Amino acid sequence: MLLIGTHLAWNYVLLILLYSINSSFAPPAQHILGKSEVVPSKLNTKLNDTYELVLSFFLPVTCRHKDEQTLIPCHVGEGLNTTECLENKCCASKTSHELKCYMPFKDNMQLTFRLLVLVAGGFLILGCLPFCCCACLQRSQCVNPLRRANNEVEQILQKKRAHSEDTYGL
């Protein structure tokens, strides 16, 4: 039962991994470029998007400010409406006596929580790795000597089968 659960868990992990990885192979119906056409450079934009995602994960920001924090105006301008302010990744103010558009603040609590979850996940993976390796290697015939066929036992079984066929065959 444990073996079936482990196998099923590994299948789910593999499916999630395959689902999360974007395939770089072109589908068969996609247009193939000729010799004179220029290949568009999408790799640079994908790298920039990935860089921004990683940066936003490790540098979380919030628009909630405390009384002791000073508001810094947004670098794109002060006279922006709420939509323009949010498009430029700035915070829109709800009160009229403060700045209408200000820079977001570093969220140290969110960063601490994310790092804690990341480290705990890493320790969980490192803790489960030996059990998974043992479960996989236990079924291997080249690593586990108990899985290999024993020649002496095979010969004894063949003799018993031959003897039982002779005895019951008549």
Side-chain angles (χ1 to χ4, degrees):
M1 183 68 179
L2 178 66
L3 185 62
I4 293 171
T6 307
H7 186 68
L8 187 63
W10 275 111
N11 284 343
Y12 280 128
V13 168
L14 186 65
L15 284 173
I16 290 169
L17 242 167
L18 290 175
Y19 181 74
S20 65
I21 297 172
N22 290 334
S23 177
S24 61
F25 298 109
Q30 189 177 10
H31 171 69
I32 298 173
L33 297 174
K35 290 181 181 179
S36 63
E37 292 180 282
V38 178
V39 178
S41 174
K42 291 184 180 179
L43 180 65
N44 195 16
T45 43
K46 284 184 182 180
L47 286 175
N48 285 340
D49 292 341
T50 307
Y51 176 73
E52 286 179 14
L53 283 173
V54 170
L55 191 65
S56 68
F57 181 81
F58 287 108
L59 293 174
V61 291
T62 183
C63 287
R64 285 178 273 160
H65 69 281
K66 298 174 184 153
D67 292 333
E68 66 268 4
Q69 293 174 326
T70 58
L71 297 177
I72 301 168
C74 194
H75 60 275
V76 291
E78 294 180 23
L80 300 175
N81 63 16
T82 305
T83 308
E84 292 171 340
C85 189
L86 294 175
E87 284 176 355
N88 290 308
K89 297 180 182 174
C90 294
C91 299
S93 178
K94 294 177 182 157
T95 59
S96 60
H97 66 278
E98 297 176 358
L99 293 171
K100 293 193 182 235
C101 192
Y102 60 92
M103 297 291 289
F105 304 104
K106 268 188 2 180
D107 194 357
N108 291 329
M109 289 297 289
Q110 187 69 253
L111 178 64
T112 305
F113 177 73
R114 288 178 182 180
L115 289 177
L116 182 70
V117 168
L118 191 68
V119 169
F123 277 129
L124 182 68
I125 289 171
L126 286 176
C128 292
L129 191 63
F131 295 113
C132 297
C133 289
C134 287
C136 291
L137 294 176
Q138 184 179 6
R139 296 180 54 89
S140 173
Q141 290 181 356
C142 61
V143 175
N144 190 353
L146 298 175
R147 290 280 182 176
R148 288 188 216 136
N150 192 340
N151 292 334
E152 295 172 12
V153 174
E154 287 290 326
Q155 289 174 357
I156 292 170
L157 284 174
Q158 287 176 357
K159 286 180 185 177
K160 282 189 176 183
R161 284 184 194 141
H163 178 68
S164 66
E165 287 177 3
D166 292 339
T167 306
Y168 296 118
L170 296 174

